[in-house]
Coordinates of all heavy atoms in Angstrom, one line a residue:
M268 N -3.2 1.6 -24.9 CA -1.9 2.1 -24.9 C -1.1 1.5 -23.8 O -1.3 1.8 -22.6 CB -2.0 3.7 -24.7 CG -0.7 4.3 -24.7 SD -0.9 6.1 -24.7 CE -0.5 6.5 -23.0
E269 N -0.1 0.7 -24.1 CA 0.7 0.0 -23.1 C 2.0 0.9 -22.9 O 2.8 1.1 -23.8 CB 1.1 -1.4 -23.6 CG 2.0 -2.1 -22.6 CD 1.4 -2.4 -21.3 OE1 0.2 -2.6 -21.2 OE2 2.1 -2.3 -20.3
T270 N 2.2 1.4 -21.7 CA 3.4 2.2 -21.4 C 4.4 1.5 -20.5 O 5.5 2.0 -20.4 CB 3.0 3.5 -20.8 OG1 2.4 3.2 -19.5 CG2 2.0 4.3 -21.6
G271 N 4.0 0.5 -19.8 CA 4.9 -0.2 -18.8 C 4.9 0.6 -17.5 O 5.6 0.2 -16.6
I272 N 4.1 1.6 -17.4 CA 4.1 2.4 -16.1 C 2.8 2.0 -15.4 O 1.7 2.0 -16.0 CB 4.1 3.9 -16.4 CG1 5.3 4.4 -17.2 CG2 4.0 4.7 -15.1 CD1 5.3 5.8 -17.7
T273 N 2.9 1.8 -14.1 CA 1.7 1.4 -13.4 C 1.6 2.2 -12.1 O 2.5 3.0 -11.7 CB 1.8 -0.1 -12.9 OG1 3.0 -0.3 -12.1 CG2 1.9 -1.0 -14.2
G274 N 0.4 2.1 -11.4 CA 0.2 2.7 -10.1 C 0.2 4.2 -10.2 O -0.2 4.9 -11.1
A275 N 0.8 4.7 -9.1 CA 0.8 6.2 -8.9 C 1.6 6.9 -10.0 O 1.3 8.0 -10.4 CB 1.4 6.5 -7.5
A276 N 2.7 6.2 -10.5 CA 3.5 6.8 -11.5 C 2.7 7.0 -12.8 O 2.8 8.0 -13.5 CB 4.7 5.9 -11.8
A277 N 1.8 6.0 -13.1 CA 0.9 6.1 -14.3 C -0.1 7.3 -14.1 O -0.2 8.0 -15.1 CB 0.2 4.8 -14.5
L278 N -0.7 7.3 -13.0 CA -1.6 8.4 -12.7 C -0.9 9.8 -12.8 O -1.4 10.7 -13.5 CB -2.2 8.3 -11.3 CG -3.3 9.3 -10.9 CD1 -4.4 9.2 -11.9 CD2 -3.7 9.1 -9.5
R279 N 0.3 9.9 -12.3 CA 1.0 11.2 -12.3 C 1.3 11.5 -13.8 O 1.2 12.6 -14.2 CB 2.2 11.1 -11.5 CG 3.0 12.4 -11.5 CD 4.3 12.3 -10.7 NE 5.1 13.5 -10.9 CZ 5.8 13.9 -11.9 NH1 6.0 13.1 -12.9 NH2 6.5 15.0 -11.9
S280 N 1.8 10.5 -14.5 CA 2.2 10.8 -15.9 C 1.1 11.2 -16.8 O 1.3 11.9 -17.8 CB 2.9 9.5 -16.5 OG 2.0 8.5 -16.7
L281 N -0.1 10.8 -16.4 CA -1.3 11.2 -17.2 C -2.0 12.4 -16.8 O -2.6 13.1 -17.6 CB -2.3 10.0 -17.2 CG -1.9 8.7 -17.8 CD1 -2.9 7.6 -17.6 CD2 -1.6 8.9 -19.3
T282 N -1.9 12.8 -15.5 CA -2.6 13.9 -15.0 C -1.8 15.2 -14.7 O -2.2 16.3 -15.2 CB -3.4 13.6 -13.7 OG1 -2.4 13.1 -12.8 CG2 -4.4 12.5 -14.0
V283 N -0.7 15.0 -14.0 CA 0.1 16.2 -13.6 C 0.5 17.0 -14.8 O 0.2 18.2 -14.9 CB 1.2 15.8 -12.7 CG1 2.1 17.0 -12.4 CG2 0.7 15.3 -11.4
P284 N 1.2 16.5 -15.8 CA 1.7 17.3 -16.9 C 0.5 17.8 -17.8 O 0.6 18.9 -18.3 CB 2.5 16.3 -17.8 CG 2.9 15.2 -16.9 CD 1.8 15.1 -15.9
R285 N -0.5 17.1 -17.8 CA -1.7 17.5 -18.7 C -2.4 18.7 -18.1 O -2.7 19.7 -18.7 CB -2.6 16.4 -18.8 CG -3.9 16.7 -19.7 CD -4.7 15.5 -19.9 NE -5.9 15.8 -20.6 CZ -6.9 15.0 -20.9 NH1 -6.8 13.8 -20.4 NH2 -7.9 15.4 -21.6
Y286 N -2.7 18.7 -16.8 CA -3.4 19.7 -16.1 C -2.6 20.8 -15.4 O -3.1 21.9 -15.2 CB -4.4 19.1 -15.1 CG -5.4 18.2 -15.8 CD1 -5.4 16.8 -15.6 CD2 -6.5 18.7 -16.5 CE1 -6.3 16.0 -16.3 CE2 -7.4 17.9 -17.2 CZ -7.3 16.6 -17.0 OH -8.2 15.8 -17.7
F287 N -1.4 20.4 -15.0 CA -0.5 21.4 -14.3 C 0.9 21.4 -14.9 O 1.8 21.1 -14.2 CB -0.5 21.0 -12.8 CG -1.9 20.9 -12.2 CD1 -2.4 19.7 -12.0 CD2 -2.6 22.1 -11.9 CE1 -3.7 19.6 -11.4 CE2 -3.9 21.9 -11.3 CZ -4.4 20.7 -11.1
P288 N 1.1 21.7 -16.2 CA 2.4 21.5 -16.8 C 3.4 22.4 -16.2 O 4.6 22.1 -16.2 CB 2.1 21.9 -18.3 CG 0.9 22.7 -18.2 CD 0.1 22.2 -17.1
D289 N 3.0 23.5 -15.6 CA 4.0 24.5 -15.0 C 4.0 24.4 -13.5 O 4.6 25.2 -12.8 CB 3.7 25.9 -15.4 CG 3.8 26.1 -17.0 OD1 4.7 25.5 -17.6 OD2 2.9 26.7 -17.5
G290 N 3.3 23.4 -12.9 CA 3.2 23.3 -11.5 C 4.4 22.7 -10.8 O 5.3 22.1 -11.5
F291 N 4.5 22.8 -9.5 CA 5.6 22.2 -8.7 C 5.8 20.8 -8.9 O 6.9 20.3 -9.2 CB 5.3 22.5 -7.2 CG 6.4 22.0 -6.3 CD1 7.6 22.7 -6.2 CD2 6.2 20.8 -5.7 CE1 8.6 22.2 -5.3 CE2 7.2 20.3 -4.8 CZ 8.4 21.0 -4.7
A292 N 4.7 20.0 -8.9 CA 4.8 18.5 -9.0 C 5.4 18.1 -10.3 O 6.2 17.1 -10.4 CB 3.5 17.8 -8.7
A293 N 5.0 18.8 -11.4 CA 5.5 18.4 -12.7 C 7.0 18.6 -12.8 O 7.7 17.9 -13.6 CB 4.8 19.2 -13.8
A294 N 7.6 19.5 -12.1 CA 9.0 19.7 -12.1 C 9.8 18.8 -11.2 O 11.1 18.8 -11.3 CB 9.3 21.2 -11.7
Q295 N 9.2 18.0 -10.4 CA 9.9 17.1 -9.5 C 10.2 15.8 -10.1 O 9.3 15.2 -10.8 CB 9.0 16.9 -8.2 CG 8.7 18.2 -7.5 CD 9.9 19.1 -7.2 OE1 10.8 18.6 -6.6 NE2 9.8 20.3 -7.7
P296 N 11.4 15.3 -10.0 CA 11.7 14.0 -10.6 C 11.1 12.8 -9.9 O 10.9 11.8 -10.6 CB 13.3 13.9 -10.4 CG 13.5 14.8 -9.2 CD 12.5 15.8 -9.2
A297 N 10.7 12.8 -8.7 CA 10.1 11.7 -8.0 C 8.9 12.1 -7.2 O 8.8 11.9 -6.0 CB 11.2 11.1 -7.0
A298 N 7.9 12.6 -7.9 CA 6.6 12.9 -7.3 C 5.6 11.9 -7.6 O 4.5 12.3 -8.1 CB 6.2 14.3 -7.8
D299 N 5.9 10.6 -7.5 CA 5.0 9.6 -7.9 C 3.9 9.2 -6.8 O 3.2 8.3 -7.0 CB 5.8 8.3 -8.3 CG 6.6 8.5 -9.5 OD1 6.2 9.4 -10.3 OD2 7.6 7.8 -9.7
G300 N 4.0 9.8 -5.7 CA 3.0 9.5 -4.7 C 3.3 10.2 -3.4 O 4.1 11.0 -3.3
L301 N 2.6 9.7 -2.4 CA 2.7 10.3 -1.1 C 3.2 9.2 -0.1 O 2.7 8.1 -0.2 CB 1.3 10.8 -0.6 CG 1.2 11.4 0.8 CD1 2.1 12.7 0.9 CD2 -0.2 11.8 1.1
G302 N 4.2 9.6 0.7 CA 4.6 8.6 1.6 C 4.5 9.1 3.1 O 4.5 10.3 3.3
F303 N 4.4 8.2 4.0 CA 4.4 8.5 5.4 C 5.5 7.8 6.1 O 5.7 6.6 5.8 CB 3.0 8.1 6.0 CG 1.8 8.8 5.5 CD1 1.1 8.2 4.5 CD2 1.5 10.0 6.0 CE1 -0.1 8.9 4.0 CE2 0.4 10.7 5.5 CZ -0.4 10.1 4.5
D304 N 6.2 8.5 7.0 CA 7.3 7.9 7.7 C 7.2 8.3 9.2 O 7.4 9.5 9.5 CB 8.7 8.4 7.1 CG 9.8 7.6 7.7 OD1 9.6 6.5 8.2 OD2 10.9 8.1 7.6
P305 N 6.8 7.4 10.0 CA 6.5 6.0 9.8 C 5.1 5.9 9.2 O 4.2 6.8 9.2 CB 6.5 5.4 11.2 CG 6.1 6.5 12.1 CD 6.7 7.8 11.4
P306 N 4.9 4.7 8.5 CA 3.5 4.5 7.9 C 2.5 4.3 9.0 O 2.7 3.9 10.1 CB 3.7 3.2 7.1 CG 4.9 2.5 7.7 CD 5.8 3.6 8.3
P307 N 1.2 4.6 8.6 CA 0.1 4.4 9.5 C 0.0 2.9 10.0 O 0.4 2.0 9.2 CB -1.1 4.8 8.8 CG -0.6 5.6 7.6 CD 0.7 5.1 7.3
D308 N -0.4 2.7 11.2 CA -0.6 1.3 11.6 C -2.0 0.9 11.3 O -2.9 0.9 12.1 CB -0.4 1.2 13.2 CG -0.3 -0.2 13.7 OD1 -0.8 -1.1 13.0 OD2 0.1 -0.3 14.8
Y309 N -2.2 0.4 10.0 CA -3.5 0.0 9.5 C -4.1 -1.1 10.3 O -5.3 -1.2 10.5 CB -3.4 -0.3 8.0 CG -3.1 0.9 7.1 CD1 -1.9 1.0 6.5 CD2 -4.0 1.9 7.0 CE1 -1.6 2.1 5.7 CE2 -3.7 3.1 6.2 CZ -2.5 3.1 5.6 OH -2.2 4.2 4.8
A310 N -3.2 -2.1 10.7 CA -3.7 -3.2 11.5 C -4.4 -2.7 12.8 O -5.4 -3.2 13.2 CB -2.6 -4.2 11.8
A311 N -3.7 -1.8 13.5 CA -4.3 -1.3 14.7 C -5.6 -0.5 14.5 O -6.5 -0.6 15.3 CB -3.3 -0.4 15.4
I312 N -5.7 0.2 13.3 CA -6.9 0.9 13.0 C -8.0 -0.1 12.8 O -9.1 0.1 13.3 CB -6.7 1.8 11.7 CG1 -5.7 2.9 12.1 CG2 -8.0 2.3 11.2 CD1 -5.2 3.7 10.8
A313 N -7.7 -1.2 12.1 CA -8.7 -2.2 11.9 C -9.2 -2.8 13.2 O -10.4 -3.0 13.4 CB -8.2 -3.3 11.0
V314 N -8.3 -3.1 14.1 CA -8.7 -3.6 15.4 C -9.6 -2.6 16.2 O -10.6 -3.0 16.8 CB -7.4 -4.0 16.2 CG1 -7.8 -4.4 17.6 CG2 -6.7 -5.2 15.5
A315 N -9.2 -1.4 16.1 CA -9.9 -0.3 16.8 C -11.4 -0.2 16.3 O -12.3 0.2 17.0 CB -9.2 1.0 16.7
M316 N -11.5 -0.6 15.0 CA -12.9 -0.5 14.4 C -13.6 -1.8 14.5 O -14.7 -2.0 14.0 CB -12.7 -0.2 12.9 CG -12.1 1.2 12.6 SD -11.8 1.5 10.9 CE -13.4 1.4 10.2
G317 N -13.1 -2.8 15.3 CA -13.8 -4.0 15.6 C -13.5 -5.2 14.7 O -14.1 -6.2 14.7
G318 N -12.5 -5.0 13.8 CA -12.1 -6.0 12.9 C -10.9 -6.8 13.3 O -10.4 -6.6 14.4
H319 N -10.4 -7.5 12.4 CA -9.1 -8.3 12.6 C -8.0 -7.5 11.8 O -8.2 -7.3 10.6 CB -9.2 -9.7 12.1 CG -7.9 -10.4 12.1 ND1 -7.4 -11.0 13.2 CD2 -7.0 -10.7 11.1 CE1 -6.2 -11.6 12.9 NE2 -6.0 -11.4 11.6
G320 N -7.0 -7.1 12.4 CA -5.9 -6.5 11.7 C -4.6 -7.1 12.1 O -4.3 -7.5 13.2
E321 N -3.7 -7.3 11.1 CA -2.4 -7.9 11.3 C -1.4 -7.4 10.3 O -1.6 -7.2 9.2 CB -2.6 -9.4 11.1 CG -1.4 -10.2 11.6 CD -1.7 -11.7 11.6 OE1 -2.9 -12.1 11.6 OE2 -0.8 -12.5 11.7
L322 N -0.2 -7.1 10.9 CA 0.9 -6.6 10.1 C 1.7 -7.8 9.7 O 2.1 -8.6 10.6 CB 1.8 -5.6 10.9 CG 3.1 -5.2 10.2 CD1 2.9 -4.5 8.9 CD2 3.9 -4.3 11.2
V323 N 2.0 -8.0 8.5 CA 2.8 -9.2 8.0 C 4.1 -8.6 7.4 O 4.0 -7.9 6.4 CB 2.0 -10.0 7.0 CG1 2.8 -11.2 6.5 CG2 0.7 -10.5 7.6
E324 N 5.2 -9.0 7.9 CA 6.5 -8.5 7.4 C 7.4 -9.6 6.9 O 8.5 -9.3 6.4 CB 7.2 -7.7 8.5 CG 6.5 -6.5 9.0 CD 7.2 -5.7 10.0 OE1 7.4 -6.3 11.1 OE2 7.5 -4.5 9.8
R325 N 7.0 -10.9 7.0 CA 7.8 -12.0 6.5 C 7.0 -12.9 5.7 O 5.8 -13.2 6.1 CB 8.5 -12.7 7.7 CG 9.4 -11.9 8.5 CD 10.1 -12.7 9.6 NE 9.7 -14.0 9.8 CZ 9.3 -14.5 11.0 NH1 9.3 -13.7 12.1 NH2 8.8 -15.7 11.2
P326 N 7.5 -13.4 4.6 CA 6.7 -14.4 3.8 C 6.2 -15.6 4.5 O 5.1 -16.0 4.3 CB 7.7 -14.8 2.7 CG 8.6 -13.6 2.6 CD 8.8 -13.1 4.0
D327 N 6.9 -16.1 5.5 CA 6.5 -17.3 6.2 C 5.3 -17.0 7.2 O 4.7 -17.9 7.7 CB 7.7 -17.9 7.0 CG 8.2 -17.0 8.1 OD1 8.3 -15.8 7.9 OD2 8.7 -17.6 9.1
R328 N 4.9 -15.7 7.3 CA 3.8 -15.3 8.2 C 2.5 -15.1 7.4 O 1.5 -14.9 7.9 CB 4.1 -14.1 9.0 CG 5.3 -14.2 9.9 CD 5.1 -15.3 11.0 NE 3.9 -15.1 11.7 CZ 3.2 -16.1 12.3 NH1 3.6 -17.3 12.2 NH2 2.1 -15.8 12.9
I329 N 2.6 -15.2 6.0 CA 1.4 -15.0 5.2 C 0.4 -16.0 5.5 O -0.8 -15.7 5.7 CB 1.8 -14.9 3.7 CG1 2.7 -13.7 3.4 CG2 0.5 -14.9 2.8 CD1 3.3 -13.7 2.0
G330 N 0.7 -17.3 5.5 CA -0.3 -18.4 5.7 C -1.0 -18.2 7.0 O -2.2 -18.2 7.0
P331 N -0.3 -18.1 8.1 CA -1.0 -17.9 9.4 C -1.8 -16.6 9.4 O -2.9 -16.6 10.0 CB 0.2 -17.8 10.4 CG 1.3 -18.6 9.8 CD 1.2 -18.3 8.3
A332 N -1.4 -15.6 8.8 CA -2.1 -14.3 8.8 C -3.4 -14.5 8.0 O -4.5 -14.0 8.4 CB -1.3 -13.2 8.2
V333 N -3.4 -15.2 6.9 CA -4.6 -15.5 6.1 C -5.5 -16.3 6.9 O -6.8 -16.1 6.9 CB -4.2 -16.1 4.7 CG1 -5.5 -16.6 4.0 CG2 -3.5 -15.1 3.8
A334 N -5.0 -17.3 7.6 CA -5.8 -18.2 8.4 C -6.6 -17.4 9.5 O -7.8 -17.6 9.7 CB -5.0 -19.3 9.0
G335 N -5.8 -16.5 10.1 CA -6.4 -15.6 11.2 C -7.5 -14.7 10.6 O -8.6 -14.5 11.2
A336 N -7.2 -14.2 9.4 CA -8.2 -13.3 8.7 C -9.5 -14.1 8.3 O -10.6 -13.6 8.5 CB -7.6 -12.7 7.4
L337 N -9.3 -15.3 7.8 CA -10.5 -16.1 7.5 C -11.3 -16.5 8.7 O -12.5 -16.5 8.7 CB -10.0 -17.4 6.7 CG -9.5 -17.1 5.3 CD1 -8.9 -18.4 4.7 CD2 -10.5 -16.5 4.4
T338 N -10.6 -16.7 9.8 CA -11.3 -17.0 11.1 C -12.2 -15.8 11.5 O -13.4 -16.0 11.8 CB -10.3 -17.4 12.2 OG1 -9.6 -18.6 11.8 CG2 -11.0 -17.6 13.5
A339 N -11.6 -14.6 11.4 CA -12.3 -13.4 11.8 C -13.5 -13.2 10.8 O -14.6 -12.9 11.3 CB -11.4 -12.2 11.7
I340 N -13.3 -13.4 9.6 CA -14.4 -13.3 8.6 C -15.5 -14.3 8.9 O -16.7 -14.0 8.9 CB -13.9 -13.4 7.2 CG1 -13.0 -12.2 6.8 CG2 -15.1 -13.6 6.2 CD1 -12.2 -12.4 5.5
G341 N -15.1 -15.5 9.3 CA -16.1 -16.5 9.7 C -16.9 -16.1 10.9 O -18.0 -16.6 11.1
E342 N -16.3 -15.3 11.7 CA -17.0 -14.8 13.0 C -17.8 -13.5 12.7 O -18.4 -12.9 13.6 CB -15.9 -14.5 14.0 CG -15.2 -15.7 14.5 CD -14.0 -15.3 15.4 OE1 -13.6 -14.1 15.4 OE2 -13.4 -16.3 16.0
G343 N -17.8 -13.1 11.4 CA -18.6 -11.9 11.0 C -17.9 -10.6 11.1 O -18.5 -9.5 11.1
R344 N -16.6 -10.6 11.3 CA -15.8 -9.4 11.4 C -15.1 -9.2 10.1 O -14.8 -10.2 9.3 CB -14.8 -9.5 12.5 CG -15.4 -9.6 13.9 CD -14.4 -9.6 15.0 NE -13.6 -10.8 15.0 CZ -12.3 -10.7 15.2 NH1 -11.6 -9.6 15.6 NH2 -11.6 -11.9 15.2
F345 N -14.6 -8.0 9.8 CA -13.8 -7.8 8.6 C -12.4 -8.0 9.0 O -12.0 -8.1 10.1 CB -14.0 -6.4 8.0 CG -13.4 -5.3 8.9 CD1 -12.1 -4.9 8.7 CD2 -14.2 -4.7 9.9 CE1 -11.6 -3.8 9.4 CE2 -13.6 -3.7 10.7 CZ -12.3 -3.3 10.4
A346 N -11.5 -8.2 7.9 CA -10.1 -8.5 8.2 C -9.3 -7.6 7.3 O -9.6 -7.4 6.1 CB -9.8 -9.9 8.0
L347 N -8.2 -7.1 7.8 CA -7.2 -6.4 7.1 C -5.8 -6.9 7.3 O -5.4 -7.1 8.5 CB -7.2 -4.9 7.5 CG -6.2 -4.0 6.8 CD1 -6.9 -2.6 6.5 CD2 -5.0 -3.8 7.5
L348 N -5.1 -7.3 6.3 CA -3.7 -7.8 6.4 C -2.8 -6.7 5.7 O -2.9 -6.4 4.5 CB -3.5 -9.1 5.7 CG -4.4 -10.3 6.2 CD1 -4.1 -11.5 5.4 CD2 -4.1 -10.5 7.7
D349 N -2.0 -6.1 6.5 CA -1.1 -5.0 6.1 C 0.2 -5.7 5.7 O 1.0 -6.1 6.6 CB -1.0 -4.0 7.2 CG -0.2 -2.7 6.7 OD1 0.1 -2.7 5.5 OD2 0.0 -1.9 7.5
M350 N 0.5 -5.9 4.5 CA 1.7 -6.6 4.0 C 2.9 -5.6 3.7 O 2.7 -4.8 2.9 CB 1.4 -7.4 2.8 CG 0.3 -8.3 2.9 SD 0.8 -9.9 3.5 CE -0.7 -10.8 3.4
H351 N 4.0 -5.8 4.5 CA 5.2 -5.1 4.2 C 6.3 -6.1 3.8 O 7.0 -6.5 4.7 CB 5.6 -4.3 5.5 CG 4.7 -3.2 5.9 ND1 5.2 -2.0 6.4 CD2 3.4 -3.1 5.9 CE1 4.2 -1.2 6.7 NE2 3.1 -1.9 6.4
L352 N 6.3 -6.4 2.6 CA 7.2 -7.5 2.1 C 8.1 -6.9 1.0 O 7.6 -6.1 0.1 CB 6.4 -8.7 1.5 CG 5.4 -9.3 2.5 CD1 4.5 -10.3 1.8 CD2 6.2 -10.0 3.7
L353 N 9.3 -7.3 1.0 CA 10.2 -6.9 -0.1 C 10.0 -7.8 -1.3 O 9.7 -9.0 -1.2 CB 11.7 -7.0 0.4 CG 12.1 -6.0 1.5 CD1 13.5 -6.3 1.9 CD2 12.0 -4.6 0.9
P354 N 10.3 -7.3 -2.5 CA 10.2 -8.2 -3.7 C 11.2 -9.3 -3.6 O 12.3 -9.2 -3.0 CB 10.5 -7.2 -4.9 CG 10.3 -5.8 -4.3 CD 10.6 -5.9 -2.9
V355 N 10.9 -10.4 -4.3 CA 11.8 -11.5 -4.3 C 13.2 -11.1 -4.8 O 13.3 -10.3 -5.8 CB 11.3 -12.7 -5.2 CG1 12.3 -13.8 -5.4 CG2 10.0 -13.2 -4.7
G356 N 14.2 -11.5 -4.1 CA 15.6 -11.1 -4.5 C 16.1 -9.9 -3.9 O 17.2 -9.5 -4.1
R357 N 15.3 -9.2 -3.1 CA 15.7 -7.9 -2.4 C 15.6 -8.0 -0.9 O 15.5 -7.1 -0.2 CB 14.8 -6.8 -2.9 CG 15.0 -6.5 -4.3 CD 14.3 -5.2 -4.8 NE 14.7 -4.1 -4.0 CZ 14.0 -3.0 -3.9 NH1 12.9 -2.8 -4.6 NH2 14.4 -2.0 -3.2
R358 N 15.8 -9.2 -0.4 CA 15.7 -9.4 1.1 C 17.1 -9.3 1.7 O 18.1 -9.5 1.3 CB 15.2 -10.8 1.4 CG 13.7 -10.8 1.0 CD 13.1 -12.1 1.4 NE 11.9 -12.2 0.6 CZ 11.5 -13.3 0.0 NH1 12.1 -14.5 0.3 NH2 10.4 -13.3 -0.7

């Protein structure tokens, strides 16, 4: 069944009305997920756990970030790249 709905919106459209049709979330127009403001610093969490963590906010930083992540993996550490990028055309 192709609906064109993805991610949290798809999950909500399939579960909330089905299981909680009279619930608070079903009555909300934009209850597609949970947001944090400010968002967690996932890169710092990764570093605190002994891995490589990096926040990437510009497309021109993706290549260097991937290179750093691959270096960390080669050293036996895990790597997390937290990408905060706008869709093309919305910069």
Side-chain angles (χ1 to χ4, degrees):
M268 175 173 107
E269 179 63 35
T270 64
I272 301 173
T273 61
L278 182 61
R279 180 184 177 278
S280 70
L281 295 173
T282 58
V283 171
R285 180 176 178 185
Y286 296 107
F287 307 102
D289 300 318
F291 177 81
Q295 303 308 305
D299 293 335
L301 176 64
F303 294 98
D304 189 21
D308 188 344
Y309 293 113
I312 294 169
V314 170
M316 295 174 64
H319 171 83
E321 192 168 342
L322 173 62
V323 180
E324 297 180 299
R325 296 185 351 233
D327 63 326
R328 298 301 307 153
I329 295 172
V333 170
L337 291 173
T338 298
I340 291 168
E342 296 169 350
R344 297 183 295 141
F345 71 92
L347 180 140
L348 299 179
D349 188 6
M350 305 273 186
H351 292 218
L352 304 169
L353 293 174
V355 174
R357 293 187 56 196
R358 292 186 199 139

